[in-house]
Amino acid sequence: MAEVTAEARIEAPAEKVWSKLTDFSVFGEWSATHTGFPKGAPTSLEQGGTFEENMKLMGFPAEVTWTVEELEPGRTLAIRGKGPMGVTVGTRYSVTPDGDGTKVRIDGEFTGAAVSLMAGKLKDSATAALNESLRKLDGLVA
């Protein structure tokens, strides 16, 4: 298993950050791993809902079928997906008001036999991608 975390403070109200975070029409503008939605971007989120995403991590393309595991509008979105080679990916986005700004945290988890072979490189690559994503999200929200 490989676990990664990135956190940033964005100088904008939590509602504005959440709005951009969950607007899948602009997902590719800030998510560093996103390359497309093969069946179209999700138009709404609901617990148990599913969607497919094309991604690229460590230079490798992957198609992931995501399921929304937890949704607390304005606060938390947790999704879990099945990727290639039996890899399971979990991503949790947390939005917390912080004075005039917002703390945003992204936690990622990768499990499966293929992960153990490259856990160190995967952690480095995923952490860099999460930090870049938060930087881009900050620019998009500002």
Side-chain angles (χ1 to χ4, degrees), residues 10 15 18 24-25 30 48 52-53 61 77 87 94 97 99-101 107:
I10 296 177
E15 301 80 30
W18 179 261
F24 289 101
S25 70
W30 66 268
E52 292 181 13
E53 179 186 15
L77 170 62
V87 173
S94 303
D100 292 339
D107 295 293

Side-chain angles (χ1 to χ4, degrees), residues 7-127:
E7 190 171 59
R9 185 175 194 282
I10 296 177
E11 298 299 327
E15 301 80 30
K16 188 173 182 182
V17 174
W18 179 261
S19 175
K20 288 296 182 190
L21 183 81
T22 57
D23 178 354
F24 289 101
S25 70
V26 297
F27 199 70
E29 292 180 38
W30 66 268
S31 176
T33 59
H34 177 79
T35 59
F37 292 111
K39 295 185 177 177
T43 54
S44 65
L45 286 173
E46 59 185 46
Q47 190 141 346
T50 62
F51 62 94
E52 292 181 13
E53 179 186 15
N54 289 336
M55 305 173 68
K56 188 175 254 186
L57 188 60
M58 292 178 28
F60 297 105
E63 186 172 295
V64 178
T65 300
W66 294 104
T67 300
V68 178
E69 287 194 327
E70 182 183 350
L71 178 63
E72 186 182 341
R75 308 260 319 153
T76 306
L77 170 62
I79 55 178
R80 184 160 303 280
K82 297 281 185 192
M85 301 180 355
V87 173
T88 299
V89 184
T91 305
R92 180 183 180 87
Y93 302 94
S94 303
V95 174
T96 307
D98 184 37
D100 292 339
T102 304
K103 285 186 183 175
V104 182
R105 180 179 167 126
I106 307 174
D107 295 293
E109 175 185 284
F110 302 85
T111 57
V115 173
S116 61
L117 300 173
M118 55 187 169
K121 186 171 180 171
L122 178 60
K123 284 175 89 165
D124 292 345
S125 180
T127 298

